Amino acid sequence: MSQLVTIFGGSGFIGRYIARRMAKEGWRVRVAVRNVNEAMFVRPYGVVGQVEPVFCNIRDDASVQAVTEGADAVVNCVGVLDEVGKNTFSAVQAEGAARVARIAAANGVARMVHISAIGADADAASAYSKTKAAGEAGILEHMPDAMILRSSIVFGPEDQFFNRFAGMSRLGPILPVIGADTRFQPVYVDDIAAAAVKGVSGEAEGGVYELGGPDVHTFRELMELMLGIIRRRRLIVNTPFWMARVMAFGFGVVRSLSLGLIKGPVTKDQVINLAIDNVVSDDARGFDALGIHPTAMEAVLPDYLWRFRPSGQYDAIKESAKNLKS
């Protein structure tokens, strides 16, 4: 285990899968996180001492420098869906990403992989998408051969998409969504990790890759699929964008007045993104260029959404009992 990779945000949703795969490949893995105590679960991914969580604040040069020294490769998985305190879109996704690349280049790090998002655009109306593009530009300025992975919405056992809406479905007969006709191309988290490993190991060349699963669905269709898996019947109601913008504004006011203690379910920036299709571009390099066959949602979702069924793990037993009675 002579090679070392530093994974920024390595205990997060995507980062933990990359850390696990890199450990299996025989690399030493340095998991750079803000809260080391909450990242201890990554240590069993490898043998004793192979995977170690270390403190790092991506907003600080000295902190990034400390965890980058001696690394053969770096992976940046740090991103935010909502701004909280000093962790703004600009500070984390633009300045933070560029900082990692600048310091990695200065330390002679050979390769870098960056997790971005489909829709990254310097001219976007969304601050999230605009700062994602700024982060990519900052990385390529310092490490022009870096691999940038833009993903559609990501699913997996720890996701905040299907788990969130499955949880909401237990609250009542109506399931509200914003942008029911917006198209998504959900991608399995471990497939993204597999792509990242190819970049870290040098098996794939650098550049931008757009990663999406094998199927494209509207938001409404995704909710119908999820409801079928958890065996619940709910009325999916589309919230018009004008109404969603009003709601987001109201939630923003409440959040400001409460000094951030009360958060709403949606922000203005998220409403902007929900109006734009989130699918792989026709001319983009993707999983095919990496030799990876993306995993279908139907093969994974039942493995972790079963707990949202009316009777949880006993739902299948109850159905079998009904068949016996009939």
Side-chain angles (χ1 to χ4, degrees), residues 103-189:
I103 293 176
N107 284 335
V109 175
R111 288 182 290 274
M112 177 174 182
V113 175
H114 174 65
I115 306 300
S116 186
I118 288 177
D121 184 356
D123 298 321
S126 158
Y128 173 85
S129 299
K130 186 176 295 185
T131 52
K132 280 290 189 182
E136 293 181 5
I139 287 170
L140 295 177
E141 177 184 350
H142 299 287
M143 297 195 72
D145 295 327
M147 169 188 271
I148 295 174
L149 302 178
R150 296 177 178 171
S151 66
S152 183
I153 193 163
V154 185
F155 68 91
E158 304 86 3
D159 72 48
Q160 294 299 312
F161 182 73
F162 286 110
N163 279 306
R164 178 184 180 184
F165 285 98
M168 289 172 57
S169 72
R170 298 189 293 192
L171 303 178
I174 296 176
L175 184 63
V177 299
I178 301 171
D181 295 324
T182 301
R183 299 185 305 149
F184 296 91
Q185 195 170 349
V187 55
Y188 182 41
V189 60

Coordinates of all heavy atoms in Angstrom, one line a residue, residues 103-189:
I103 N -3.5 23.8 -4.4 CA -2.5 23.2 -3.5 C -2.1 21.8 -3.9 O -0.9 21.5 -3.7 CB -3.2 23.2 -2.1 CG1 -3.4 24.6 -1.6 CG2 -2.4 22.4 -1.1 CD1 -4.2 24.7 -0.3
A104 N -2.9 21.1 -4.5 CA -2.5 19.7 -5.0 C -1.5 19.9 -6.1 O -0.5 19.2 -6.1 CB -3.7 19.0 -5.5
A105 N -1.7 20.8 -7.0 CA -0.7 21.0 -8.0 C 0.7 21.5 -7.4 O 1.7 21.1 -7.9 CB -1.2 22.1 -9.0
A106 N 0.6 22.4 -6.4 CA 1.8 22.9 -5.8 C 2.6 21.8 -5.1 O 3.8 21.8 -5.0 CB 1.5 24.0 -4.8
N107 N 1.8 20.8 -4.6 CA 2.5 19.6 -3.9 C 2.8 18.5 -4.8 O 3.3 17.4 -4.3 CB 1.5 19.1 -2.8 CG 1.5 20.0 -1.6 OD1 2.4 20.7 -1.3 ND2 0.4 20.0 -0.9
G108 N 2.7 18.7 -6.1 CA 3.1 17.7 -7.1 C 2.1 16.5 -7.1 O 2.6 15.4 -7.6
V109 N 0.9 16.6 -6.7 CA -0.1 15.5 -6.8 C -0.3 15.2 -8.3 O -0.6 16.1 -9.1 CB -1.4 15.9 -6.1 CG1 -2.5 14.8 -6.3 CG2 -1.2 16.2 -4.6
A110 N -0.3 13.9 -8.6 CA -0.4 13.5 -10.0 C -1.7 13.6 -10.6 O -1.9 14.1 -11.8 CB 0.2 12.1 -10.2
R111 N -2.8 13.2 -9.9 CA -4.1 13.2 -10.5 C -5.2 13.7 -9.5 O -5.0 13.6 -8.3 CB -4.5 11.7 -10.8 CG -3.7 11.2 -12.1 CD -4.1 9.8 -12.4 NE -3.6 8.8 -11.4 CZ -2.4 8.3 -11.4 NH1 -1.6 8.6 -12.4 NH2 -2.1 7.4 -10.5
M112 N -6.2 14.3 -10.1 CA -7.3 14.8 -9.3 C -8.7 14.4 -10.0 O -8.8 14.5 -11.2 CB -7.3 16.3 -9.2 CG -8.5 16.9 -8.5 SD -8.3 18.7 -8.2 CE -9.8 19.0 -7.2
V113 N -9.6 14.0 -9.2 CA -11.0 13.8 -9.6 C -11.9 14.7 -8.8 O -11.8 14.8 -7.6 CB -11.4 12.3 -9.4 CG1 -12.8 12.0 -9.7 CG2 -10.5 11.3 -10.1
H114 N -12.8 15.3 -9.5 CA -13.8 16.2 -8.9 C -15.2 15.8 -9.2 O -15.5 15.6 -10.3 CB -13.5 17.7 -9.4 CG -14.5 18.7 -8.9 ND1 -14.6 19.1 -7.6 CD2 -15.4 19.4 -9.6 CE1 -15.5 20.0 -7.5 NE2 -16.0 20.2 -8.7
I115 N -16.0 15.8 -8.1 CA -17.4 15.5 -8.3 C -18.2 16.8 -8.5 O -18.3 17.6 -7.6 CB -18.0 14.7 -7.1 CG1 -17.1 13.5 -6.8 CG2 -19.4 14.3 -7.3 CD1 -17.0 12.5 -7.9
S116 N -18.8 16.9 -9.7 CA -19.5 18.1 -10.0 C -21.0 17.7 -10.2 O -21.5 16.7 -9.6 CB -19.0 18.8 -11.2 OG -19.6 20.1 -11.5
A117 N -21.7 18.4 -11.1 CA -23.1 18.1 -11.3 C -23.6 18.5 -12.7 O -23.1 19.5 -13.2 CB -24.0 18.8 -10.3
I118 N -24.4 17.7 -13.3 CA -25.0 18.1 -14.6 C -25.7 19.4 -14.4 O -26.4 19.6 -13.4 CB -26.0 17.0 -15.1 CG1 -25.2 15.7 -15.5 CG2 -26.9 17.5 -16.2 CD1 -26.1 14.6 -16.0
G119 N -25.6 20.3 -15.3 CA -26.2 21.6 -15.2 C -25.2 22.7 -14.8 O -25.6 23.9 -14.8
A120 N -24.0 22.3 -14.5 CA -23.0 23.3 -14.2 C -22.8 24.2 -15.3 O -22.4 23.8 -16.4 CB -21.6 22.6 -13.8
D121 N -23.0 25.5 -15.1 CA -23.0 26.5 -16.2 C -22.7 27.9 -15.6 O -23.4 28.4 -14.7 CB -24.4 26.5 -16.9 CG -24.4 27.4 -18.1 OD1 -23.4 28.1 -18.4 OD2 -25.4 27.4 -18.8
A122 N -21.7 28.5 -16.2 CA -21.3 29.8 -15.7 C -22.4 30.9 -15.9 O -22.4 31.9 -15.3 CB -20.0 30.3 -16.4
D123 N -23.3 30.6 -16.9 CA -24.4 31.6 -17.2 C -25.7 31.2 -16.6 O -26.8 31.7 -16.9 CB -24.5 31.7 -18.7 CG -23.3 32.3 -19.4 OD1 -22.7 33.2 -18.8 OD2 -22.9 31.8 -20.5
A124 N -25.7 30.2 -15.7 CA -26.9 29.7 -15.1 C -27.6 30.7 -14.2 O -26.9 31.5 -13.6 CB -26.7 28.4 -14.3
A125 N -28.9 30.6 -14.0 CA -29.6 31.5 -13.1 C -29.4 31.0 -11.7 O -29.6 31.8 -10.7 CB -31.1 31.6 -13.5
S126 N -29.1 29.8 -11.5 CA -29.0 29.2 -10.2 C -27.6 29.4 -9.6 O -26.6 29.1 -10.4 CB -29.3 27.7 -10.2 OG -28.7 27.0 -9.2
A127 N -27.5 29.9 -8.4 CA -26.2 30.0 -7.8 C -25.5 28.7 -7.6 O -24.2 28.6 -7.7 CB -26.3 30.7 -6.4
Y128 N -26.2 27.6 -7.4 CA -25.6 26.3 -7.2 C -24.9 25.9 -8.5 O -23.8 25.5 -8.5 CB -26.7 25.3 -6.9 CG -26.3 23.8 -6.9 CD1 -25.7 23.3 -5.7 CD2 -26.5 23.0 -8.0 CE1 -25.3 22.0 -5.7 CE2 -26.0 21.7 -8.0 CZ -25.5 21.2 -6.9 OH -25.1 19.9 -6.9
S129 N -25.6 26.0 -9.6 CA -25.0 25.6 -10.9 C -23.9 26.5 -11.3 O -22.9 26.1 -11.9 CB -26.1 25.6 -12.0 OG -27.1 24.6 -11.6
K130 N -24.0 27.8 -11.1 CA -23.0 28.8 -11.4 C -21.7 28.5 -10.7 O -20.6 28.6 -11.3 CB -23.5 30.2 -11.2 CG -22.6 31.3 -11.7 CD -23.2 32.7 -11.5 CE -24.5 32.8 -12.3 NZ -25.0 34.2 -12.2
T131 N -21.8 28.2 -9.4 CA -20.6 28.0 -8.6 C -20.0 26.6 -8.9 O -18.8 26.4 -8.8 CB -20.9 28.1 -7.1 OG1 -22.0 27.3 -6.7 CG2 -21.2 29.6 -6.7
K132 N -20.8 25.7 -9.3 CA -20.3 24.4 -9.8 C -19.4 24.6 -11.0 O -18.3 24.0 -11.1 CB -21.4 23.4 -10.1 CG -22.0 22.7 -8.9 CD -21.1 21.7 -8.3 CE -21.8 20.9 -7.2 NZ -20.8 19.9 -6.6
A133 N -19.8 25.4 -11.9 CA -19.1 25.8 -13.1 C -17.8 26.5 -12.7 O -16.7 26.3 -13.3 CB -19.9 26.6 -14.1
A134 N -17.9 27.4 -11.8 CA -16.7 28.2 -11.4 C -15.7 27.3 -10.7 O -14.5 27.4 -10.9 CB -17.1 29.3 -10.4
G135 N -16.2 26.3 -10.0 CA -15.3 25.3 -9.4 C -14.5 24.5 -10.4 O -13.3 24.3 -10.3
E136 N -15.2 24.1 -11.4 CA -14.6 23.3 -12.5 C -13.5 24.2 -13.2 O -12.4 23.7 -13.5 CB -15.7 22.9 -13.5 CG -16.7 21.9 -13.0 CD -17.7 21.5 -14.1 OE1 -17.5 21.9 -15.2 OE2 -18.6 20.7 -13.7
A137 N -13.9 25.4 -13.5 CA -12.9 26.3 -14.1 C -11.6 26.5 -13.3 O -10.5 26.5 -13.8 CB -13.5 27.6 -14.4
G138 N -11.8 26.7 -12.0 CA -10.7 26.8 -11.1 C -9.8 25.6 -11.0 O -8.6 25.7 -10.9
I139 N -10.4 24.4 -11.1 CA -9.7 23.2 -11.0 C -8.9 23.0 -12.3 O -7.7 22.7 -12.3 CB -10.7 22.0 -10.9 CG1 -11.2 21.9 -9.5 CG2 -9.9 20.7 -11.2 CD1 -12.3 21.0 -9.3
L140 N -9.5 23.2 -13.5 CA -8.8 23.1 -14.7 C -7.7 24.1 -14.9 O -6.7 23.9 -15.7 CB -9.8 23.2 -15.9 CG -10.8 22.0 -15.9 CD1 -11.8 22.2 -17.1 CD2 -10.1 20.7 -16.1
E141 N -7.8 25.2 -14.3 CA -6.7 26.2 -14.3 C -5.4 25.7 -13.7 O -4.3 26.0 -14.2 CB -7.2 27.5 -13.6 CG -6.1 28.6 -13.6 CD -6.6 29.8 -12.8 OE1 -7.8 29.9 -12.5 OE2 -5.7 30.7 -12.5
H142 N -5.6 25.0 -12.6 CA -4.4 24.5 -11.9 C -4.0 23.1 -12.3 O -2.9 22.7 -12.2 CB -4.6 24.6 -10.4 CG -4.9 26.0 -9.9 ND1 -3.9 27.0 -9.9 CD2 -6.0 26.6 -9.5 CE1 -4.4 28.1 -9.4 NE2 -5.7 27.9 -9.2
M143 N -5.1 22.3 -12.6 CA -4.8 20.9 -12.9 C -5.6 20.5 -14.2 O -6.7 20.0 -14.1 CB -5.2 19.9 -11.8 CG -4.3 20.1 -10.5 SD -4.5 18.8 -9.3 CE -3.5 17.5 -10.2
P144 N -5.1 20.9 -15.4 CA -5.8 20.8 -16.6 C -6.2 19.4 -17.0 O -7.0 19.1 -17.8 CB -4.9 21.4 -17.6 CG -3.5 21.4 -17.0 CD -3.8 21.6 -15.5
D145 N -5.5 18.4 -16.4 CA -5.8 17.0 -16.7 C -6.7 16.3 -15.7 O -6.9 15.1 -15.7 CB -4.5 16.2 -16.8 CG -3.5 16.6 -17.9 OD1 -4.1 17.0 -19.0 OD2 -2.3 16.6 -17.7
A146 N -7.3 17.1 -14.9 CA -8.2 16.6 -13.9 C -9.4 15.9 -14.5 O -9.9 16.3 -15.6 CB -8.7 17.7 -12.9
M147 N -10.0 14.9 -13.8 CA -11.2 14.3 -14.3 C -12.4 15.0 -13.5 O -12.4 15.0 -12.3 CB -11.2 12.8 -14.0 CG -12.6 12.1 -14.2 SD -12.7 10.4 -13.6 CE -12.2 9.6 -15.2
I148 N -13.4 15.4 -14.2 CA -14.6 16.1 -13.7 C -15.8 15.2 -14.0 O -16.1 14.9 -15.1 CB -14.8 17.5 -14.2 CG1 -13.6 18.4 -13.7 CG2 -16.1 18.1 -13.7 CD1 -13.6 19.8 -14.3
L149 N -16.4 14.8 -12.9 CA -17.6 13.9 -13.1 C -18.9 14.7 -12.7 O -19.1 15.0 -11.6 CB -17.5 12.7 -12.1 CG -16.2 11.8 -12.3 CD1 -16.2 10.7 -11.3 CD2 -16.2 11.2 -13.7
R150 N -19.7 14.9 -13.8 CA -20.9 15.6 -13.6 C -22.0 14.5 -13.5 O -22.3 13.8 -14.5 CB -21.2 16.6 -14.7 CG -20.3 17.7 -14.9 CD -20.7 18.5 -16.1 NE -19.8 19.7 -16.3 CZ -19.9 20.5 -17.4 NH1 -20.7 20.2 -18.3 NH2 -19.1 21.5 -17.4
S151 N -22.7 14.5 -12.4 CA -23.8 13.5 -12.2 C -25.2 14.1 -12.2 O -25.4 15.2 -11.9 CB -23.5 12.7 -10.9 OG -23.8 13.6 -9.8
S152 N -26.1 13.2 -12.6 CA -27.5 13.6 -12.5 C -27.8 13.3 -11.0 O -27.0 13.1 -10.2 CB -28.4 12.8 -13.4 OG -29.8 13.2 -13.3
I153 N -29.1 13.3 -10.6 CA -29.5 13.0 -9.2 C -29.0 11.6 -8.8 O -29.1 10.7 -9.6 CB -31.0 13.2 -9.1 CG1 -31.3 13.2 -7.6 CG2 -31.8 12.1 -9.8 CD1 -32.7 13.8 -7.3
V154 N -28.4 11.5 -7.7 CA -27.8 10.3 -7.2 C -28.7 9.5 -6.3 O -29.2 10.1 -5.3 CB -26.4 10.6 -6.5 CG1 -25.7 9.3 -6.2 CG2 -25.6 11.5 -7.5
F155 N -28.8 8.2 -6.5 CA -29.5 7.4 -5.6 C -28.7 6.3 -4.9 O -27.6 5.9 -5.5 CB -30.7 6.7 -6.3 CG -30.4 5.7 -7.3 CD1 -30.3 4.3 -6.9 CD2 -30.2 6.0 -8.6 CE1 -30.0 3.4 -7.9 CE2 -29.9 5.0 -9.6 CZ -29.8 3.7 -9.2
G156 N -29.1 5.9 -3.8 CA -28.4 4.9 -3.0 C -28.9 4.8 -1.6 O -29.8 5.7 -1.2
P157 N -28.5 3.9 -0.8 CA -29.1 3.7 0.6 C -29.1 5.0 1.4 O -30.0 5.2 2.2 CB -28.2 2.6 1.2 CG -27.8 1.8 0.1 CD -27.6 2.8 -1.1
E158 N -28.2 5.9 1.3 CA -28.1 7.1 2.1 C -28.6 8.3 1.4 O -28.4 9.4 1.9 CB -26.6 7.3 2.5 CG -26.0 6.2 3.3 CD -25.3 5.1 2.3 OE1 -25.4 5.4 1.1 OE2 -24.8 4.1 2.8
D159 N -29.3 8.2 0.2 CA -29.6 9.3 -0.5 C -30.6 10.2 0.2 O -31.4 9.8 1.1 CB -30.1 9.0 -1.9 CG -31.5 8.3 -2.0 OD1 -32.4 8.8 -1.3 OD2 -31.6 7.2 -2.6
Q160 N -30.7 11.5 -0.3 CA -31.6 12.4 0.3 C -32.8 12.7 -0.7 O -33.5 13.8 -0.6 CB -30.9 13.7 0.7 CG -29.9 13.6 1.8 CD -30.6 13.1 3.1 OE1 -31.6 13.7 3.5 NE2 -30.0 12.1 3.7
F161 N -32.9 11.9 -1.6 CA -34.0 12.0 -2.6 C -35.1 11.0 -2.4 O -36.2 11.4 -1.9 CB -33.4 11.9 -4.1 CG -34.5 12.2 -5.1 CD1 -34.9 13.5 -5.4 CD2 -35.0 11.1 -5.9 CE1 -35.9 13.7 -6.3 CE2 -35.9 11.4 -6.9 CZ -36.4 12.6 -7.1
F162 N -34.9 9.8 -2.8 CA -35.9 8.8 -2.6 C -36.3 8.6 -1.1 O -37.5 8.4 -0.8 CB -35.5 7.5 -3.2 CG -35.6 7.5 -4.7 CD1 -34.4 7.4 -5.5 CD2 -36.8 7.5 -5.4 CE1 -34.4 7.5 -6.9 CE2 -36.8 7.5 -6.8 CZ -35.6 7.5 -7.5
N163 N -35.3 8.6 -0.3 CA -35.6 8.4 1.2 C -36.4 9.6 1.7 O -37.4 9.4 2.5 CB -34.2 8.4 2.0 CG -33.6 7.1 2.0 OD1 -34.2 6.0 2.3 ND2 -32.3 7.0 1.5
R164 N -36.2 10.8 1.2 CA -36.9 11.9 1.7 C -38.4 11.9 1.3 O -39.3 12.0 2.1 CB -36.3 13.2 1.1 CG -37.0 14.5 1.5 CD -36.4 15.7 0.9 NE -37.1 16.9 1.2 CZ -36.9 18.1 0.7 NH1 -35.9 18.2 -0.2 NH2 -37.6 19.2 1.1
F165 N -38.6 11.6 0.0 CA -40.0 11.5 -0.5 C -40.8 10.3 0.0 O -42.0 10.3 0.2 CB -40.0 11.6 -2.0 CG -39.8 13.0 -2.5 CD1 -38.5 13.4 -2.9 CD2 -40.8 14.0 -2.5 CE1 -38.3 14.7 -3.4 CE2 -40.5 15.3 -2.9 CZ -39.3 15.6 -3.4
A166 N -40.0 9.2 0.2 CA -40.7 8.0 0.8 C -41.1 8.3 2.2 O -42.2 7.9 2.6 CB -39.7 6.8 0.8
G167 N -40.3 9.1 2.9 CA -40.7 9.5 4.3 C -41.9 10.4 4.3 O -42.8 10.3 5.1
M168 N -41.9 11.3 3.3 CA -43.1 12.2 3.2 C -44.4 11.5 2.9 O -45.4 11.9 3.3 CB -42.8 13.3 2.1 CG -41.7 14.3 2.5 SD -41.3 15.3 1.0 CE -42.9 16.0 0.6
S169 N -44.2 10.4 2.2 CA -45.4 9.6 1.8 C -46.2 9.0 3.0 O -47.4 8.7 2.9 CB -45.1 8.5 0.8 OG -44.4 7.5 1.4
R170 N -45.5 8.9 4.1 CA -46.1 8.4 5.3 C -47.0 9.4 6.1 O -47.6 9.1 7.0 CB -45.1 7.8 6.2 CG -44.3 6.6 5.6 CD -43.4 5.9 6.6 NE -42.3 6.8 7.1 CZ -41.2 6.4 7.8 NH1 -41.2 5.1 8.1 NH2 -40.3 7.2 8.2
L171 N -46.9 10.7 5.6 CA -47.5 11.7 6.4 C -49.0 12.0 6.0 O -49.7 12.7 6.7 CB -46.7 13.0 6.3 CG -45.2 12.9 6.7 CD1 -44.5 14.3 6.5 CD2 -45.2 12.5 8.2
G172 N -49.4 11.5 4.8 CA -50.7 11.8 4.4 C -51.0 11.3 3.0 O -50.1 10.7 2.3
P173 N -52.2 11.4 2.5 CA -52.6 10.9 1.2 C -52.1 11.6 0.0 O -52.2 11.2 -1.2 CB -54.1 10.9 1.2 CG -54.4 12.1 2.1 CD -53.4 12.1 3.1
I174 N -51.5 12.8 0.2 CA -51.0 13.7 -0.9 C -49.5 13.8 -0.9 O -48.9 14.0 0.2 CB -51.7 15.1 -0.9 CG1 -53.2 15.0 -1.1 CG2 -51.0 16.0 -1.9 CD1 -53.9 16.3 -0.9
L175 N -48.9 13.7 -2.0 CA -47.4 13.8 -2.1 C -47.1 15.0 -3.1 O -47.2 14.8 -4.3 CB -46.7 12.5 -2.6 CG -45.2 12.5 -2.7 CD1 -44.6 12.7 -1.3 CD2 -44.7 11.2 -3.4
P176 N -46.8 16.2 -2.5 CA -46.5 17.3 -3.4 C -45.1 17.3 -4.0 O -44.2 16.9 -3.3 CB -46.7 18.5 -2.4 CG -46.3 17.9 -1.1 CD -46.7 16.5 -1.1
V177 N -45.0 17.7 -5.2 CA -43.7 17.8 -5.9 C -43.7 19.1 -6.7 O -44.7 19.7 -7.0 CB -43.4 16.6 -6.8 CG1 -43.4 15.3 -6.1 CG2 -44.4 16.6 -8.0
I178 N -42.5 19.6 -6.9 CA -42.2 20.8 -7.7 C -41.5 20.4 -9.0 O -40.5 19.8 -9.0 CB -41.4 21.8 -6.9 CG1 -42.1 22.2 -5.6 CG2 -41.1 23.1 -7.8 CD1 -41.2 23.1 -4.7
G179 N -42.2 20.7 -10.1 CA -41.6 20.3 -11.4 C -41.8 18.9 -11.7 O -40.9 18.2 -12.0
A180 N -43.1 18.5 -11.7 CA -43.4 17.1 -12.0 C -43.0 16.6 -13.4 O -42.8 15.4 -13.6 CB -45.0 16.9 -11.8
D181 N -42.9 17.5 -14.3 CA -42.5 17.2 -15.7 C -41.1 17.3 -16.0 O -40.6 17.0 -17.1 CB -43.3 18.0 -16.7 CG -44.8 17.7 -16.6 OD1 -45.2 16.6 -16.4 OD2 -45.6 18.7 -16.8
T182 N -40.3 17.8 -15.0 CA -38.8 17.9 -15.2 C -38.2 16.5 -15.3 O -38.6 15.6 -14.5 CB -38.2 18.7 -14.0 OG1 -38.8 20.0 -14.0 CG2 -36.7 18.8 -14.2
R183 N -37.3 16.3 -16.2 CA -36.7 15.0 -16.4 C -35.4 14.8 -15.7 O -34.6 15.7 -15.6 CB -36.5 14.7 -17.9 CG -37.7 14.8 -18.8 CD -37.4 14.4 -20.2 NE -36.4 15.3 -20.7 CZ -35.5 14.9 -21.7 NH1 -35.5 13.7 -22.1 NH2 -34.6 15.7 -22.1
F184 N -35.2 13.6 -15.1 CA -34.0 13.3 -14.4 C -33.4 11.9 -15.0 O -34.2 11.1 -15.6 CB -34.2 13.1 -12.9 CG -34.7 14.4 -12.2 CD1 -36.0 14.7 -12.1 CD2 -33.7 15.2 -11.7 CE1 -36.4 15.9 -11.5 CE2 -34.1 16.4 -11.1 CZ -35.4 16.7 -11.0
Q185 N -32.2 11.7 -14.7 CA -31.5 10.5 -15.2 C -30.7 9.9 -14.0 O -29.5 9.9 -13.9 CB -30.6 10.7 -16.3 CG -30.1 9.5 -17.1 CD -29.4 9.8 -18.4 OE1 -29.4 10.9 -18.8 NE2 -28.8 8.8 -19.0
P186 N -31.5 9.4 -12.9 CA -30.8 9.0 -11.7 C -29.7 8.0 -11.9 O -29.8 7.1 -12.7 CB -32.0 8.3 -10.9 CG -33.2 9.0 -11.5 CD -32.9 9.2 -12.9
V187 N -28.6 8.2 -11.1 CA -27.4 7.4 -11.3 C -27.1 6.8 -9.9 O -27.1 7.5 -8.9 CB -26.2 8.3 -11.8 CG1 -26.0 9.5 -11.0 CG2 -25.0 7.4 -11.9
Y188 N -26.7 5.5 -9.9 CA -26.3 4.8 -8.7 C -25.0 5.3 -8.1 O -24.0 5.4 -8.9 CB -26.3 3.3 -9.0 CG -26.0 2.5 -7.8 CD1 -26.6 2.7 -6.5 CD2 -25.2 1.3 -7.9 CE1 -26.3 1.9 -5.4 CE2 -24.9 0.5 -6.8 CZ -25.5 0.8 -5.6 OH -25.2 0.0 -4.5
V189 N -25.0 5.6 -6.8 CA -23.8 6.2 -6.2 C -22.5 5.3 -6.4 O -21.4 5.9 -6.6 CB -24.1 6.4 -4.7 CG1 -24.4 5.1 -4.0 CG2 -22.9 7.1 -4.0

